[in-house]
Amino acid sequence: MDFKTIILMMLPILVSACAADTESGSKKLPREQVAVFTSTDIKLQKSYEWARKTALSYTHDGADPVGLWYDAAYPNRESFCMRNVAHQSVGAQILGLTPHNKNMFSRLVENISEGKDWCGYWEINRYNKPTPADYSNDREFWYNLGANFDVLQACLKMYRWTGDEDYVSDRRFADYYGKSINEYVKRWCLSPEDIMSRSPYMNYGRNFDLNNKFHTCRGIPSYEEEIPDIAVGVDLIAALYAGFKSAGEFAGATGNDSIAGHTENLAAGYRQLLEEKWWDAGKSCYHSHMLSDGKMESGNVYPYVLWFGATDDERRQKQILSDIRDREWTVEYLTYFPALFYHHGYISEAYDYLTILPTNSSSHYPEVSFGIIEGCVCGAMGFNPDYKSRRVATAHKCLDDSTISEIRNVRVFDGYMSVLHSGIESTELSNDTSVDVEWEAAFKGDYAYIESGGSLYPAETHTDLKGNVFSKALIPVAANAKVRAEVVRI
């Protein structure tokens, strides 16, 4: 069963699904009140304030033909590209740019076409046209093949944050998902069975010219763009895993577990390929890319293995994080690292990236500010919502256990949520949405119980990759309610 069939089977269910209204029917705060962060850690607060002000300066509110959008490409390009939007979208959502994300993803997914071999436009400008620097015509353009799956995963993140069923049921999105993991995979030889023997240059015209970038870069099988003759990059393998995994979760959002299981099994094929073919046991690292002659080499794109969640081998995860710390990186990579390191428990390292980025010589790249926003809210504050499970997680990941930090009015579901961490033993969650949620309240340390509203909740412990122990409990929080949770010392 291919995913095109799966999507067609899902549509009747999806169209009738009950949507969370992300814009109408709920209060909308003025922008200056959204995602306001304060902390007794002044260095952290200043980094966030710089990022918030800078990110909002890249926002365009509908006067252009493309509609609502924000800069997500090279500076002064007046464009947004697939990889950058996928990366910046969580930070944008936190800042209340929900309609901007929706419009930009809609523009990206609606332009997939057979004439471009099921690619879209890598980059779209403010005039709602493909950016000339990356596009000449449907046979000559720039395109990184992992982008389709990067966008697919990002759309799933937007669904988790907003509950907007259009990300699941809108025919433009559903068609994009189906074409990406079916026709697109076939056209570019990206199946687990074919990908290790594919050619670096495919689907080109009769007058193929190695000196024409729009010929050689029409289907780059990696985000590594500087090395010629790459047949496949490890980041593409990881992106394929994430894309198929996300497609399975979209199916699961409708309750269609059999379809979800089938699609996620396809994702497992890419994970198996990654772990069996791409790990270099001698050097204790993943190969970065494979050339057309089958030679595998080191390079820069291996952090995407973690970004796309493509390995659950903790030893290999640790090695990637160690390798990252031992190298110099361009600012594009650096913007991924705050959220990535916080996620795995490397709090000190994540904090360093988060607070140093504003002083980087390339801090004017739009990715920098949006990456800091995500790193602070999802990382340092540990705030992560999931509309499908109606669950919200928090965990204070601070350097000083006495730090008090608050993020007010984060745009989530059909309203806003706020989190106040008082050190590492007390947290308050304000749920200003119409959705009743389960709050996964986590605290650094080993505790048997967490108290909230006069009730004791048994705590489960979890140890992250760095060895930090967190105790967590599930606490019900009604719509439009404020709840405090605290650890219990026995």
Side-chain angles (χ1 to χ4, degrees):
M1 183 187 301
D2 61 32
F3 194 67
K4 181 179 180 182
T5 303
I6 293 172
I7 285 293
L8 292 174
M9 291 174 62
M10 289 166 56
L11 278 176
I13 302 171
L14 299 172
V15 171
S16 63
C18 179
D21 188 349
T22 59
E23 289 304 312
S24 61
S26 63
K27 67 177 182 178
K28 188 173 182 180
L29 296 174
R31 188 166 287 171
E32 62 269 17
Q33 295 181 24
V34 177
V36 177
F37 178 75
T38 55
S39 178
T40 56
D41 185 331
I42 302 303
K43 188 176 181 181
L44 182 64
Q45 179 174 321
K46 286 184 176 179
S47 182
Y48 181 90
E49 289 176 343
W50 174 88
R52 184 178 183 278
K53 179 180 179 181
T54 303
L56 290 175
S57 74
Y58 294 127
T59 302
H60 308 275
D61 292 324
D64 298 311
V66 78
L68 297 168
W69 69 288
Y70 51 82
D71 290 84
Y74 284 125
N76 304 316
R77 200 73 166 258
E78 296 187 334
S79 301
F80 53 91
C81 81
M82 297 178 76
R83 184 191 67 81
N84 295 52
V85 175
H87 181 204
Q88 293 175 219
S89 56
V90 171
Q93 169 63 28
I94 290 167
L95 293 171
L97 304 179
T98 308
H100 297 68
N101 278 334
K102 176 77 167 292
N103 179 60
M104 293 162 72
F105 280 119
S106 297
R107 298 299 188 185
L108 291 172
V109 303
E110 70 188 6
N111 281 296
I112 191 172
S113 70
E114 185 172 13
K116 298 193 294 293
D117 295 301
W118 304 114
C119 298
Y121 293 135
W122 170 252
E123 191 169 348
I124 297 174
N125 64 24
R126 66 189 306 167
Y127 305 106
N128 199 25
K129 302 290 184 182
T131 305
D134 290 320
Y135 177 90
S136 179
N137 56 66
D138 278 5
R139 303 308 305 170
E140 298 178 310
F141 57 85
W142 183 290
Y143 207 80
N144 300 73
L145 293 178
N148 278 41
F149 313 105
D150 207 348
V151 166
L152 207 167
Q153 176 181 255
C155 288
L156 177 63
K157 291 179 180 179
M158 292 301 97
Y159 175 65
R160 289 172 174 166
W161 275 83
T162 67
D164 185 345
E165 296 288 347
D166 280 350
Y167 283 108
V168 188
S169 62
D170 184 290
R171 289 183 182 271
R172 294 172 298 172
F173 285 92
D175 188 59
Y176 177 87
Y177 307 152
K179 291 293 194 302
S180 291
I181 68 169
N182 187 39
E183 285 91 339
Y184 182 79
V185 166
K186 293 177 182 176
R187 187 68 59 89
W188 293 96
C189 293
L190 302 179
S191 71
E193 297 79 18
D194 296 331
I195 197 167
M196 296 297 287
S197 58
R198 69 184 304 279
S199 169
Y201 308 117
M202 298 184 62
N203 303 314
Y204 47 79
R206 289 176 295 178
N207 300 316
F208 180 73
D209 182 359
L210 278 171
N211 296 314
N212 185 329
K213 73 170 184 177
F214 283 164
H215 291 183
T216 58
C217 296
R218 187 186 185 274
I220 308 170
S222 175
Y223 282 144
E224 172 58 75
E225 300 170 341
E226 303 299 324
I227 301 175
D229 198 38
I230 292 180
V232 60
V234 72
D235 57 316
L236 178 55
I237 303 288
L240 280 156
Y241 167 81
F244 276 83
K245 182 76 173 175
S246 298
E249 291 196 39
F250 273 126
T254 70
N256 209 321
D257 295 337
S258 62
I259 292 176
H262 173 77
T263 310
E264 290 176 4
N265 283 339
L266 297 175
Y270 291 103
R271 170 170 278 182
Q272 182 179 0
L273 180 64
L274 173 77
E275 302 293 35
E276 293 181 359
K277 300 293 186 182
W278 284 82
W279 179 256
D280 185 334
K283 295 182 179 179
S284 295
C285 66
Y286 285 101
H287 298 290
S288 181
H289 54 268
M290 184 183 75
L291 303 179
S292 61
D293 62 3
K295 182 181 179 182
M296 304 185 86
E297 296 185 337
S298 300
N300 296 323
V301 293
Y302 62 86
Y304 284 105
V305 173
L306 294 186
W307 185 255
F308 289 119
T311 181
D312 58 1
D313 186 311
E314 293 189 355
R315 183 176 65 87
R316 296 180 181 185
Q317 291 172 348
K318 288 180 180 179
Q319 189 61 53
I320 292 175
L321 293 166
S322 176
D323 290 345
I324 289 173
R325 292 292 290 171
D326 289 341
R327 297 186 56 180
E328 298 291 329
W329 297 91
T330 63
V331 74
E332 292 93 338
Y333 281 104
L334 289 172
T335 58
Y336 288 91
F337 295 161
L340 198 61
F341 276 80
Y342 273 122
H343 175 73
H344 290 288
Y346 287 65
I347 297 171
S348 176
E349 294 85 348
Y351 182 89
D352 288 344
Y353 288 120
L354 197 64
T355 54
I356 291 174
L357 270 167
T359 66
N360 187 283
S361 61
S362 296
S363 63
H364 58 293
Y365 279 47
E367 276 184 281
V368 174
S369 53
F370 287 87
I372 290 173
I373 297 297
E374 180 178 5
C376 185
V377 175
C378 301
M381 298 295 286
F383 178 79
N384 288 281
D386 182 5
Y387 180 78
K388 180 186 173 184
S389 64
R390 306 300 196 273
R391 185 171 291 184
V392 176
T394 65
H396 200 192
K397 300 177 181 179
C398 51
L399 292 182
D400 183 339
D401 290 351
S402 65
T403 300
I404 300 172
S405 298
E406 182 178 21
I407 182 70
R408 297 192 300 277
N409 300 324
V410 174
R411 190 74 168 133
V412 60
F413 304 161
D414 64 351
Y416 302 88
M417 291 189 184
S418 302
V419 178
L420 170 63
H421 291 303
S422 299
I424 60 170
E425 296 185 350
S426 176
T427 299
E428 183 177 272
L429 175 69
S430 299
N431 176 19
D432 298 314
T433 78
S434 68
V435 183
D436 297 340
V437 299
E438 279 191 312
W439 174 23
E440 184 181 283
F443 299 89
K444 189 176 180 182
D446 188 352
Y447 303 100
Y449 296 96
I450 293 171
E451 186 274 334
S452 181
S455 298
L456 290 180
Y457 295 86
E460 295 182 359
T461 58
H462 165 73
T463 303
D464 63 29
L465 203 62
K466 192 66 181 291
N468 301 302
V469 176
F470 284 85
S471 301
K472 60 184 180 181
L474 291 178
I475 300 169
V477 181
N480 299 303
K482 181 187 292 185
V483 174
R484 178 179 293 276
E486 299 177 320
V487 301
V488 176
R489 291 184 175 275
I490 298 178

